[in-house]
Every structure is written in C-alpha cells, then in structure tokens.
Amino acid sequence: MATHHSAISGIAYPGDMEALKRIYDDLCSERGFFQGSPAAEDLAKATMDLFSQGVFDESEIRKSIAIYLGRTSPAAKMLHGGQ
C-alpha cells in the first residue's frame, strides 16, 4: 500500500484506495461474492474498518479478512450456506 497512512484521521490516499479496491475485488472473485451483494458489502466494510484501525499491510488485511470470513459475519453465512 502507499506510504501515506492517515486513516486514523479519516484520510485514505489514492494509493491506499487502489490497494483496498484490489483486495476487495480479489476477495469477491475468490469467494464468489457478487459486487453489491450483502456479502460483498460486508467484505468492503470489514476491509475499510481494518484500514481505519491502522492495519495498512495488504497481507495483514487479507489474513484478517480470512479469519473474519471464517466466523459469523454476514459474508461467512453466505459462504457456509447460512440464512
């Protein structure tokens, strides 16, 4: 990700947004989430939440999202055939 990280102050730079979108697009594709679906929206929110909490490393975001999707997130329910 870009070297400018001010998400805690509410600022995400263009390079950060590009990386976050790339993560989102990759994970939606890998998990079979359609963009705009509740699962994809949950994934986007979780990704932005991590970034705003100071997680800037792309591999850390991906790892954290994988853990999140293994739990009871709305996206996880979609993956596991839940209601």
Side-chain angles (χ1 to χ4, degrees):
M1 265 189 216
T3 56
H4 302 102
H5 298 296
S6 298
I8 295 170
S9 68
I11 298 171
Y13 291 91
D16 298 327
M17 293 304 297
E18 289 170 12
L20 291 168
K21 178 151 177 24
R22 182 175 53 252
I23 293 168
Y24 169 81
D25 289 342
D26 289 351
L27 291 173
C28 279
S29 177
E30 290 169 14
R31 305 289 179 148
F33 297 158
F34 295 103
Q35 291 187 7
S37 69
E41 289 178 12
D42 181 51
L43 175 64
K45 182 181 180 313
T47 303
M48 287 301 299
D49 286 348
L50 285 168
F51 184 80
S52 69
Q53 293 170 20
V55 181
F56 304 121
D57 182 71
E58 193 167 331
S59 65
E60 283 298 316
I61 291 173
R62 289 175 185 273
K63 194 181 319 179
S64 294
I65 291 295
I67 292 168
Y68 175 72
L69 292 175
R71 295 185 179 162
T72 59
S73 70
K77 290 178 184 174
M78 295 280 300
L79 284 174
H80 302 297
Q83 295 73 22

